[in-house]
Amino acid sequence: MSGWSLVYDHFDPKAEGLREALCTLGNGYFAVRGAADEAEAGGPHYPGTYLAGGYNRLVSEVGGRPIENEDLVNFPNWLPVSFRHLSQDDGEAGPWFDLHAVEILDYRQELDMAGGLLHRRLRIKDAEGRVSRIESSRFVSMAQPNLAAQAWSLTPENWGGPVELRAMLDGRVINGGVARYRSLRSQHLVTVSAGLEPDGVLHLDVETSQSRLRMVQAARLRLSSDAAPLRVDPEPEQAEGAAGARFRLVAQEGEAIELEKVVAVFTGRDRAVSEPRLAALQTVRGAEDFAKLAQRHALAWSQLWRRFDMRISNRTVEDTEEMNRILRLHVFHLLQVCSPHICDLDVGVPARGLHGEAYRGHIFWDELYIFPLLNQRLPEITRELLLYRYRRLDAARQLARDAGHAGAMYPWQSGSDGREETQQVHLNPKSGRWLPDNSQRQRHVNAAIAYNVWQYVQATDDLEFLSAYGAEMLLEIARFWASISERDGSQDRWVIEGVMGPDEYHDAYPGADEGGLRNNAYTNVMVSWLLRRAREVLDRLPFHHREELCERLRLGDDELARWEEIASGLTLCFHDDEDGRPVISQFEGYGDLLEFDWVGYAAKYGDIQRLDRILEAEGDTPNRYKLSKQADVLMLFYLFSARELRELIEGMGYTWDDRLIERTIAYYSARTSHGSTLSRVVESWVMARVDRRRSWQLFCQALKSDVFDIQGGTTAEGIHLGAMAGTVDLVQRGYTGLELAEDVLWFNPRLPDELSHLEMELRYRGHFLQIEVKRDRLRILASNHAVKPIRIGFDGEIHDITGGQELVFPLSVPNPNSAPNSAPRQATG
Ligand code: BGC
């Protein structure tokens, strides 16, 4: 197995759902799960085709109440290719090929990440002793976003005789990929037309039932035998909601029959087309053959890899290859969702990719973990994804108004038009109960959006974006936070109530009628950071833009001064750890909660990642305990350096002590169940300079989140994009100590003891930088381009660097046998 492919050498029905998700192919515009060519939904198989931004709403009834959900629609399956034997005498047809009804002699499925191809090769023996070889390859073009192609072949090894081949575009699909949602309505598509054109091109035209989003698929089919074209007239397949063609021919022993299927996908939202059906037919008719299309596709991937590949060297060759392979798998899937083709599509980043139906394709705060990777490599994609938010600024203003606040309040879960898409009730599969869902109280998503705008501007210096879009979002979000903050006269402080932090296990105080918590530390510090940033943001804008924006937003000095007052007066709570030393409280009152019986529950349930479900099924609630689903307070150490955090906390009027970070990390790390895959990424990051061994363990676990489906079944419903990107970013920024601050690109590398070498290329303000970290030195080489010099910071000093120049900094080599380093993340600069 090379460092560039994922290989499965036997069929495993239990793992098929996971493999379908991991072998998904996509190009940012659309994606298809890695289902077998002949598979229909059912048993272990779930073919799924998803369009970026392709949502539809349906109303279902739950407990006698109408509940509306918006889902990322499963669009027609364009994969189906199959065959069956015909009787020699009367041509009577046998059953279609079914993997479950034959003996599998050989099986190999390979995801080639370098070229973006999925290959499958089978040898099967049927009940009559006929041995056949079936091979197929497919790709979803990274070069031409409306195109995909399959090359399928059947080789009779010990038989010859009449067969029938079938290729289809199948619109008889529903959203049935997530068991928990199956009692809800799931039929999103209405067929407009389907058929076989006289020249043998298939087409299927469908529309979503509510959003009226039309998709047309067209397929050009070409038959050949051992590469020589075969002329066989297709018969149309008669099926409601599907377009199909059948070919009858006689297979010769040892001679391959090949079917090439080139598919075009267009929608009513595409640019530069007259009408989707016309576009699909025209495009597929004019398309090149599989091999030529594959070449263009491979070139597009090789260009992406040039920007994104990073190489780490581990102690052993095997570990090195395995780790690089998983890191590439993560980059591969990230780029299949956030590719350059999203430009102009008005889409966000669905937390579970375009790989499955979990979370209904909604967009959460996970981009916080994703953008740093894009910022340093293809920042134009971040810009597009931020524009998705900008276009929903009015919807966010409306949400704020509806909740009685000023400014803009973005929803916790976002879909087509920016309204709140968080489900009102969710099913606990452990108890079978539908429960109210309070998670929309995670207003911290707003802080993340503002933070992301600022980081993007830091990475790119894109002042046009800031002037036209970014500043307005940032300031309107700041205004929302100022309006939700209240003055607590008794404490002479500002408080934020009724919210949830990232830790979803706490959504209310024990026994309270109302949901939400008071003074979530992560939220309050983020808000303080944002409210302080407002003036700096305005100062950065060219004078006229600043004037105009302030006029438009009716933002004056008084309001800015009030924001500064809130920023410095927001409450941060502390309580004592076991040794009586203060740690930051996740929220006000956290210290009064009960300690949780971690050992007892682990012994009783084994896997206790989803303690919310376990406790609810027992008639209890996590709200009573000191436990967290995921990093919450620790997010602060993930997003801010020790220096920044100190400034923030002191700026809020609290005294800083140098061991606070270390104690707080230890405290929450002992009380986190990692029920979200994001959690290990954060904890590994914050531990990197505190407990290096634990940090490495968590990094290794985070790497395995999806490829080994460590949550036991969730990856089959869609990959975890935040954790995928987050692990790569841990290498990119965590191990290099990369930080963007005050227009300087700071480095403070510290490789884990297990790594000897790290190499990658970064983009920063127009420069391409080759970065190499060894145990004893950091080397930065700026490639030879005529762009403005940039500033690199290392060890408190700032160096200018321009195209063609190199900087080399010696690093002190840590002793791998020393006790865990107790210094908090070093402040740079
Ligand atoms: C996590 C959230 C995350 C969401 C989508 C949840 O399990 O708790 O933080 O945004 O998944 O990935």
Side-chain angles (χ1 to χ4, degrees):
M1 192 179 312
S2 87
W4 285 95
S5 59
L6 197 63
V7 177
Y8 301 108
D9 60 7
H10 67 284
F11 177 64
D12 177 359
K14 286 194 297 309
E16 185 61 8
L18 168 66
R19 293 176 184 183
E20 286 179 349
L22 293 176
C23 293
T24 294
L25 296 179
N27 59 16
Y29 173 75
F30 78 112
V32 67
R33 284 165 64 86
D37 306 281
E38 72 284 349
E40 286 174 21
H45 307 285
Y46 190 72
T49 295
Y50 307 100
L51 174 78
Y55 295 103
N56 191 57
R57 286 181 183 160
L58 289 175
V59 179
S60 308
E61 213 182 274
V62 179
R65 264 206 306 157
I67 297 284
E68 186 172 309
N69 282 306
E70 182 171 77
D71 281 81
L72 187 72
V73 174
N74 182 15
F75 277 94
N77 180 17
W78 51 272
L79 297 176
V81 176
S82 195
F83 81 102
R84 62 182 173 182
H85 292 279
L86 304 175
S87 131
Q88 296 271 13
D89 322 323
D90 54 6
E92 198 188 319
W96 290 108
F97 165 54
D98 175 2
L99 191 62
H100 301 270
V102 295
E103 187 186 341
I104 302 174
L105 303 176
D106 288 313
Y107 183 98
R108 188 181 158 89
Q109 180 173 328
E110 177 177 354
L111 176 72
D112 163 5
M113 296 183 274
L117 289 152
L118 181 64
H119 305 288
R120 186 169 175 246
R121 191 187 151 100
L122 312 170
R123 278 181 72 241
I124 50 153
K125 187 160 143 192
D126 66 14
E128 263 92 302
R130 288 173 293 215
V131 176
S132 312
R133 199 163 68 235
I134 300 169
E135 286 163 289
S136 74
S137 297
R138 73 171 77 134
F139 63 88
V140 171
S141 177
M142 197 49 103
Q144 294 148 287
N146 300 90
L147 282 177
Q150 278 166 288
W152 180 96
S153 73
L154 167 73
T155 311
E157 287 200 359
N158 62 353
W159 58 274
V163 287
E164 189 169 50
L165 267 51
R166 178 176 70 178
M168 294 217 293
L169 301 171
D170 192 353
R172 299 164 299 179
V173 296
I174 58 163
N175 273 51
V178 177
R180 294 182 299 291
Y181 307 160
R182 282 194 196 136
S183 59
L184 305 172
R185 285 181 60 210
S186 52
Q187 175 72 54
H188 293 279
L189 296 179
V190 178
T191 309
V192 178
S193 69
L196 179 64
E197 294 286 298
D199 63 352
V201 170
L202 288 173
H203 63 86
L204 175 63
D205 189 342
V206 296
E207 193 176 63
T208 53
S209 62
Q210 170 272 333
S211 55
R212 300 266 169 237
L213 173 55
R214 230 177 112 202
M215 176 187 276
V216 181
Q217 298 181 351
R220 186 191 67 199
L221 307 170
R222 280 182 182 162
L223 276 179
S224 56
S225 179
D226 283 338
L230 278 180
R231 307 247 166 266
V232 183
D233 286 335
E235 283 286 312
E237 161 105 4
Q238 306 296 345
E240 188 67 27
R246 296 179 181 192
F247 301 89
R248 292 193 162 214
L249 59 161
V250 178
Q252 309 291 341
E253 185 173 331
E255 286 179 18
I257 302 173
E258 293 123 11
L259 176 65
E260 179 193 275
K261 187 175 178 188
V262 174
V263 176
V265 176
F266 279 84
T267 78
R269 291 191 190 153
D270 287 337
R271 308 290 169 105
V273 299
S274 153
E275 187 274 333
R277 177 167 164 186
L278 185 64
L281 289 172
Q282 221 163 266
T283 303
V284 91
R285 284 184 176 128
E288 292 164 303
D289 64 12
F290 182 94
K292 293 219 179 70
L293 292 173
Q295 268 173 20
R296 288 181 197 280
H297 167 69
L299 175 65
W301 264 112
S302 69
Q303 291 179 348
L304 286 174
W305 281 120
R306 236 181 272 156
R307 293 193 180 210
F308 278 83
D309 193 31
M310 54 177 76
R311 293 149 308 278
I312 54 177
S313 300
N314 209 333
R315 284 208 180 125
T316 68
V317 176
E318 294 78 38
D319 286 352
T320 296
E321 191 164 287
E322 176 71 357
M323 288 209 157
N324 282 318
R325 190 169 71 94
I326 300 178
L327 289 169
R328 285 184 188 123
L329 182 74
H330 292 182
V331 169
F332 182 71
H333 286 302
L334 176 73
L335 288 173
Q336 296 198 105
V337 180
C338 304
S339 91
H341 298 300
I342 65 158
C343 293
D344 269 0
L345 292 185
D346 183 30
V347 295
V349 198
R352 306 298 282 273
L354 298 170
H355 294 59
E357 291 159 19
Y359 288 132
R360 308 171 191 290
H362 292 170
I363 295 139
F364 297 63
W365 70 319
D366 303 49
E367 55 206 34
L368 184 64
Y369 300 79
I370 292 170
F371 288 171
L373 199 56
L374 298 173
N375 283 343
Q376 247 44 78
R377 286 144 207 283
L378 269 178
E380 37 290 58
I381 298 183
T382 313
R383 188 180 202 274
E384 275 298 315
L385 293 166
L386 288 171
L387 284 176
Y388 163 85
R389 297 294 190 179
Y390 181 75
R391 293 189 199 97
R392 286 148 188 84
L393 182 56
D394 271 338
R397 287 182 172 124
Q398 186 62 47
L399 273 179
R401 268 198 300 279
D402 292 347
H405 303 304
M409 180 177 92
Y410 280 89
W412 170 237
Q413 294 186 27
S414 184
S416 62
D417 62 6
R419 76 167 199 190
E420 178 60 79
E421 299 294 353
T422 304
Q423 54 195 344
Q424 295 150 42
V425 287
H426 67 253
L427 179 70
N428 178 0
K430 259 199 142 54
S431 67
R433 277 190 285 271
W434 286 92
L435 307 160
D437 195 319
N438 276 326
S439 58
Q440 56 180 279
R441 290 181 181 270
Q442 290 185 73
R443 306 286 176 230
H444 64 83
V445 61
N446 285 280
I449 294 170
Y451 181 89
N452 290 336
V453 167
W454 188 245
Q455 287 292 311
Y456 166 76
V457 172
Q458 279 295 320
T460 57
D461 201 24
D462 184 352
L463 293 184
E464 272 154 34
F465 172 83
L466 190 67
S467 305
Y469 315 106
E472 188 176 349
M473 277 194 276
L474 213 137
L475 295 168
E476 282 288 75
I477 293 174
R479 181 174 264 168
F480 154 70
W481 284 117
S483 104
I484 199 179
S485 307
E486 285 174 47
R487 179 127 197 127
D488 177 347
S490 66
Q491 307 278 328
D492 199 22
R493 282 228 156 245
W494 290 85
V495 297
I496 298 179
E497 287 191 288
V499 299
M500 283 170 65
D503 165 26
E504 300 188 327
Y505 286 175
H506 288 100
D507 64 352
Y509 284 101
D513 297 334
E514 281 284 291
L517 304 158
R518 194 173 143 102
N519 291 323
N520 168 256
Y522 168 67
T523 305
N524 286 14
V525 175
M526 287 296 277
V527 172
S528 177
W529 169 85
L530 172 60
L531 294 179
R532 269 161 197 279
R533 202 98 283 150
R535 240 184 246 275
E536 197 178 333
V537 169
L538 283 170
D539 287 347
R540 250 191 133 107
L541 299 182
F543 176 76
H544 290 293
H545 283 292
R546 183 166 64 233
E547 288 277 299
E548 286 167 8
L549 184 60
C550 287
E551 249 171 53
R552 256 199 341 264
L553 298 181
R554 298 209 189 96
L555 180 64
D557 255 350
D558 291 357
E559 196 171 349
L560 287 170
R562 188 163 161 271
W563 293 0
E564 276 155 6
E565 187 199 324
I566 299 173
S568 53
L570 269 166
T571 309
L572 194 59
C573 300
F574 298 85
H575 65 275
D576 285 350
D577 68 6
E578 300 83 343
D579 302 323
R581 298 164 312 171
V583 293
I584 300 175
S585 302
Q586 189 172 304
F587 49 83
E588 192 170 324
Y590 183 95
D592 302 331
L593 301 179
L594 300 172
E595 286 291 359
F596 182 67
D597 177 12
W598 293 94
V599 176
Y601 271 77
K604 186 164 169 199
Y605 290 97
D607 181 353
I608 54 166
Q609 292 179 96
R610 291 306 302 262
L611 278 173
D612 54 338
R613 292 180 178 165
I614 293 176
L615 288 169
E616 195 278 328
E618 287 185 347
D620 202 346
T621 162
N623 281 328
R624 298 174 56 220
Y625 302 100
K626 287 177 177 150
L627 54 82
S628 301
K629 175 181 183 185
Q630 65 201 86
D632 191 305
V633 179
L634 301 195
M635 286 300 298
L636 294 173
F637 316 132
Y638 176 62
L639 296 180
F640 299 111
S641 67
R643 173 184 57 86
E644 284 171 310
L645 206 58
R646 179 183 186 145
E647 262 172 41
L648 280 166
I649 291 183
E650 287 182 344
M652 289 164 82
Y654 295 94
T655 28
W656 173 264
D657 88 73
D658 280 340
R659 315 294 289 202
L660 179 67
I661 295 185
E662 194 191 331
R663 281 198 308 272
T664 306
I665 292 175
Y667 186 86
Y668 289 98
S669 141
R671 291 168 177 80
T672 303
S673 80
H674 299 302
S676 160
T677 53
L678 299 171
S679 187
R680 288 188 184 84
V681 172
V682 178
E683 210 174 300
S684 172
W685 182 293
V686 303
M687 290 252 173
R689 293 174 197 235
V690 178
D691 182 345
R692 294 162 59 71
R693 264 177 222 129
R694 177 83 187 120
S695 167
W696 182 254
Q697 274 169 5
L698 286 161
F699 172 65
C700 295
Q701 287 167 9
L703 275 183
K704 290 181 181 157
S705 300
D706 276 323
V707 73
F708 295 112
D709 189 20
I710 63 172
Q711 289 191 334
T714 63
T715 302
E717 301 169 346
I719 52 158
H720 299 83
L721 256 193
M724 281 196 163
T727 47
V728 185
D729 186 42
L730 241 163
V731 176
Q732 172 185 264
R733 287 190 306 148
Y735 297 161
T736 59
L738 191 152
E739 205 180 312
L740 306 168
E742 292 120 27
D743 300 313
V744 178
L745 183 66
W746 289 95
F747 286 90
N748 181 14
R750 185 78 190 267
L751 291 180
D753 297 335
E754 290 74 7
L755 296 186
S756 55
H757 191 199
L758 155 61
E759 253 183 296
M760 61 185 174
E761 194 165 290
L762 293 180
R763 211 167 133 193
Y764 178 69
R765 301 194 173 185
H767 283 264
F768 286 85
L769 304 173
Q770 275 173 36
I771 312 293
E772 188 189 34
V773 184
K774 291 189 171 168
R775 301 205 67 79
D776 59 353
R777 63 161 206 184
L778 160 70
R779 187 172 148 263
I780 302 168
L781 174 67
S783 62
N784 212 349
H785 294 298
V787 269
K788 274 201 322 207
I790 45 168
R791 302 199 301 156
I792 303 281
F794 179 81
D795 201 16
E797 295 201 354
I798 296 175
H799 310 257
D800 281 355
I801 181 170
T802 180
Q805 279 183 350
E806 185 183 57
L807 291 172
V808 179
F809 301 108
L811 303 175
S812 59
V813 186
N815 175 359
N817 301 320
S818 64
N821 175 6
S822 58
R825 186 175 159 196
Q826 297 282 303
T828 47

